[in-house]
């Protein structure tokens, strides 16, 4: 911090480090100082907004994220944070609109999709979750097969298939596993020929069955 050649960069990354370690007030202090010393930058306002959001100060978080978005309309984190601010303030439609815009800019930006699902769960929109799950499974077979070989020898999906698989897992985790949903999950398995996706759905079903009385549920499933 005392070295003139590194001071500004150190301020910014120290703010990130404070945030990652849960020291949000320290993050706010150093990032505000960084703006005074280095000037206005979208990323700094976004980080300030995220720190304020973690502190529960939605108004200040919204102010800085709006500034970030005004400076850089493609800042996905700023849009995600704004969606969270609106959601925490009870402005559901505004939150969903912000998250939709983030996903329009980058369909692979999963935090926006996760927050959208969380909002639907809290609003009791279980039908939306089930319909979204069906839609994601239905399109999976027709998506591009883009994969890379990692250093450990494992194959990892990238692009649209990887995004869709993440969405399927998120939706399965959010779906209340009542008897009706269990039966519907069995039907969803037949919407794809991909064994990995079929196994993901089947595993979600089995995990719920392991928590319930299998003898009581088996006749309903059959």
């Amino acid at each position: 911090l005392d070295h003139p050649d590194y001071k500004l960069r150190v301020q910014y990354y120290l703010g990130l480090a404070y945030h990652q370690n849960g020291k949000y007030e320290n993050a706010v202090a150093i990032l505000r100082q960084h703006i005074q010393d280095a000037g206005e930058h979208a990323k700094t306002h976004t980080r300030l907004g995220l720190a304020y959001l973690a502190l529960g100060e939605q108004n200040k978080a919204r102010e800085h994220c709006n500034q970030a978005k005004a400076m850089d309309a493609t800042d996905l984190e700023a849009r995600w944070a704004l969606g969270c601010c609106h959601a925490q303030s009870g402005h559901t439609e505004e939150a969903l609109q912000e998250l939709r815009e983030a996903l329009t800019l980058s369909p692979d930006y999963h935090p926006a999709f996760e927050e959208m699902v969380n909002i639907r769960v809290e609003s009791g929109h279980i039908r939306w979750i089930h319909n979204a799950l069906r839609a994601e499974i239905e399109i999976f077979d027709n998506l591009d097969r883009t994969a890379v070989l990692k250093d450990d020898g494992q194959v990892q999906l990238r692009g649209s298939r990887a995004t869709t698989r993440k969405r399927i897992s998120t939706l399965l985790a959010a779906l209340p596993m009542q008897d009706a949903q269990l039966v519907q999950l069995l039907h969803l398995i037949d919407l794809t020929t991909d064994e990995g996706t079929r196994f993901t759905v089947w595993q979600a079903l089995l995990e719920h069955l392991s928590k319930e009385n299998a003898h009581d549920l088996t006749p309903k499933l059959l």
Side-chain angles (χ1 to χ4, degrees), residues 9-173:
R9 278 185 290 172
V10 169
Q11 283 177 335
Y12 178 75
Y13 287 107
L14 186 58
L16 268 60
Y18 279 137
H19 185 276
Q20 290 175 357
N21 285 279
K23 299 180 178 180
Y24 305 118
E25 293 180 351
N26 291 350
V28 166
I30 195 71
L31 289 172
R32 288 177 64 87
Q33 184 62 50
H34 179 69
I35 287 178
Q36 290 182 14
D37 295 340
E40 307 276 338
H41 295 282
K43 287 187 179 296
T44 312
H45 280 295
T46 297
R47 295 298 176 179
L48 255 176
L50 292 171
Y52 277 122
L53 182 63
L55 289 169
E57 299 187 41
Q58 285 92 355
N59 289 336
K60 290 182 179 179
R62 190 182 298 109
E63 174 188 344
H64 285 284
C65 288
N66 274 321
Q67 287 181 271
K69 193 173 76 167
M71 298 173 74
D72 181 5
T74 65
D75 191 323
L76 298 175
E77 279 192 306
R79 290 181 178 275
W80 171 81
L82 278 172
C84 293
C85 286
H86 289 312
Q88 291 180 14
S89 301
H91 302 136
T92 302
E93 288 306 317
E94 291 89 339
L96 291 173
Q97 180 61 32
E98 202 67 59
L99 297 169
R100 289 191 197 101
E101 290 178 4
L103 290 170
T104 298
L105 288 169
S106 178
D108 293 338
Y109 187 59
H110 196 65
F113 184 80
E114 283 186 311
E115 183 61 24
M116 185 179 291
V117 172
N118 291 337
I119 292 172
R120 295 294 187 179
V121 170
E122 292 174 5
S123 301
H125 298 164
I126 305 306
R127 175 53 54 186
W128 182 94
I129 296 172
H130 190 271
N131 289 341
L133 178 59
R134 170 180 286 273
E136 297 292 341
I137 294 175
E138 280 183 326
I139 66 171
F140 190 88
D141 287 0
N142 296 323
L143 296 174
D144 293 335
R145 298 171 180 267
T146 304
V148 294
L149 186 64
K150 298 194 298 182
D151 292 339
D152 59 4
Q154 297 294 316
V155 174
Q156 180 182 29
L157 284 175
R158 280 191 179 175
S160 55
R161 276 206 163 196
T163 298
T164 301
R165 186 162 286 177
K166 278 184 181 179
R167 290 184 174 190
I168 290 171
S169 296
T170 297
L171 290 163
L172 282 170

Side-chain angles (χ1 to χ4, degrees), residues 178-216:
Q178 300 167 350
D179 294 354
Q181 274 82 30
L182 294 177
V183 176
Q184 290 171 336
L185 279 181
L186 286 175
H187 294 304
L188 293 180
I189 292 174
D190 294 330
L191 297 177
T192 177
T193 61
D194 180 76
E195 290 302 324
T197 305
R198 290 167 64 89
F199 178 77
T200 298
V201 177
W202 182 245
Q203 186 178 39
L205 176 62
L206 291 181
E207 285 178 355
H208 180 73
L209 284 174
S210 67
K211 300 174 185 177
E212 301 291 340
N213 187 330
H215 296 293
D216 291 341

Side-chain angles (χ1 to χ4, degrees), residues 1-11 14 30 37:
L1 280 174
D2 294 332
H3 198 293
D5 292 342
Y6 302 112
K7 177 180 178 180
L8 298 181
R9 278 185 290 172
V10 169
Q11 283 177 335
L14 186 58
I30 195 71
D37 295 340

